[in-house]
Amino acid sequence: MWLINTAALLLGFGLDLLLGDPHGWPHLVRWFGAVIARLEKWLYPLGSKRLGGVLLVIGTILVGAGVPAAVLYGAWRLNRWVYLALATVLVWQCLAAKSLRDESLKVYDALTTGTLADARQAVSMIVGRDTEVLDEAGVTRAAVETVAENTSDGEVAPLFWMMLLGPLGGCFYKAVNTMDSMVGYRNERYEHFGTCAARLDDVMNYIPARLSALLMIAGSALCAMDAKSARRIWRRDRRNHASPNSAQTEAVMAGALNVRLAGDAQYFGVVHKKPYIGDNLRPIEVEDIRRSHGLLFVTSALMLVLALVERMCIYAAL
């Protein structure tokens, strides 16, 4: 099974690069979202919002990891090739390199060939902030920040957990990460209900976020970007975020591009004060979106190599 899961990791990675997330196709994350929404509907009315949030986490993990585990077990008992096919699909759907590139490329295309309104609409599909107040630089910055953050959340972190636990590790991680993206907000509705989900997501991303930053620094050298600045800004600004993890990769991206990211952002009509990340050595430009894609794919490839080497070393040791 160890070898088959390793093969599934490689094949699923290739499928993600080839197919991404085709619109209209069933997807694991959308299923997780539907489960989480249903659990929230049942649990939010509880008198204790914190208890409801804890039960949401438990229910999401039981369904998000338990159902794939049962299906994989049945496939293993049925036929090894069926298991490999199913495991490959799960790995593919836990990764998001191509879809992240495609969605942020829509922002690039809107900025280069469309209108600012088109660009605001495109970036609103991948960020949570209010985009109607953003100028061209703000839209570009938001897209680059999203690519930087999701280099960890969408690629390195799921690969890390699948390196350790196989496809089920990826399912477990994506269930938690999807839950955090839905309820892990500090607003009136989720201040207490989403606390447990947000904290668990922080814990699960703690090592992957820092590993992502180190791989991105190495990747920036391979991409002929400013690796020295990437390392310097990472060491200086990696804590410039309310999240313990988000600034790790944003700091590397800012340094590699020699631009300044982050700063104040508006959510639901309220401006949130945030520190800057990086030095304002030059104005951010639309082409930085495409440059961020290069770093995304190189970092993903480095993480895949690390995962494959780690799994083969453990297999040899066994």
Side-chain angles (χ1 to χ4, degrees):
M1 182 180 285
W2 189 268
L3 282 179
I4 292 176
N5 281 338
T6 303
L9 189 62
L10 180 60
L11 293 171
F13 186 90
L15 276 181
D16 175 58
L17 294 183
L18 180 65
L19 300 177
D21 178 15
H23 290 288
W25 286 27
H27 198 282
L28 190 67
V29 172
R30 284 190 282 276
W31 178 67
F32 286 154
V35 169
I36 293 164
R38 179 60 61 89
L39 289 173
E40 179 184 352
K41 182 178 180 180
W42 291 341
L43 296 171
Y44 191 83
L46 292 178
S48 171
K49 299 305 179 193
R50 288 190 184 277
L51 175 60
V54 171
L55 293 176
L56 174 71
V57 169
I58 294 173
T60 299
I61 291 173
L62 288 175
V63 176
V67 172
V71 173
L72 283 173
Y73 176 76
W76 180 261
R77 295 293 300 271
L78 180 65
N79 182 278
R80 300 297 186 263
W81 291 105
V82 173
Y83 178 91
L84 175 61
L86 183 59
T88 297
V89 170
L90 289 178
V91 171
W92 161 39
Q93 297 206 338
C94 285
L95 300 175
K98 186 176 186 298
S99 61
L100 177 59
R101 181 258 187 191
D102 290 347
E103 293 303 314
S104 55
L105 191 60
K106 293 178 183 178
V107 181
Y108 174 88
D109 291 340
L111 287 169
T112 53
T113 62
T115 66
L116 180 57
D118 295 333
R120 287 169 173 167
Q121 174 61 31
V123 81
S124 72
M125 304 304 294
I126 57 174
V127 301
R129 72 194 67 178
D130 297 344
T131 59
E132 66 273 9
V133 298
L134 299 178
D135 57 12
E136 180 176 313
V139 170
T140 305
R141 190 178 300 111
V144 171
E145 289 169 8
T146 298
V147 173
E149 183 175 356
N150 283 282
T151 297
S152 178
D153 290 1
E155 280 291 296
V156 174
L159 282 170
F160 173 83
W161 287 106
M162 288 188 287
M163 174 181 73
L164 299 179
L165 303 173
L168 281 182
C171 293
F172 179 76
Y173 171 77
K174 293 305 290 187
V176 172
N177 190 244
T178 303
M179 181 169 48
D180 176 66
S181 70
M182 293 176 67
V183 305
Y185 296 99
R186 290 185 175 179
N187 56 27
E188 184 177 354
R189 178 174 177 84
Y190 295 122
E191 177 68 28
H192 302 296
F193 187 77
T195 299
C196 185
R199 295 295 174 268
L200 179 58
D201 185 72
D202 287 343
V203 170
M204 293 197 68
N205 277 297
Y206 190 85
I207 294 175
R210 286 147 185 81
L211 177 59
S212 298
L214 295 176
L215 292 174
M216 286 177 70
I217 292 171
S220 63
L222 296 175
C223 292
M225 300 169 77
D226 195 338
K228 183 177 180 181
S229 176
R231 181 176 180 274
R232 178 178 63 83
I233 298 300
W234 172 68
R235 290 174 61 87
R236 190 191 74 187
D237 293 349
R238 59 187 172 179
R239 297 182 180 88
N240 285 6
H241 201 285
S243 163
N245 302 318
S246 294
Q248 297 285 331
T249 50
E250 288 186 31
V252 176
M253 185 69 77
L257 293 173
N258 285 313
V259 299
R260 189 169 68 178
L261 300 176
D264 298 348
Q266 181 173 304
Y267 297 85
F268 305 106
V270 179
V271 176
H272 291 254
K273 307 296 288 185
K274 297 183 179 183
Y276 287 109
I277 297 174
D279 293 329
N280 194 25
L281 300 180
R282 65 172 180 83
I284 194 165
E285 58 188 29
V286 176
E287 200 61 32
D288 288 324
I289 297 176
R290 296 188 70 94
R291 295 182 183 116
S292 72
H293 295 160
L295 190 51
L296 161 67
F297 284 112
V298 170
T299 302
S300 300
L302 290 174
M303 183 61 211
L304 176 67
V305 171
L306 177 63
L308 294 176
V309 169
E310 186 269 353
R311 290 188 65 84
M312 294 311 297
C313 287
I314 291 179
Y315 178 77
L318 296 176

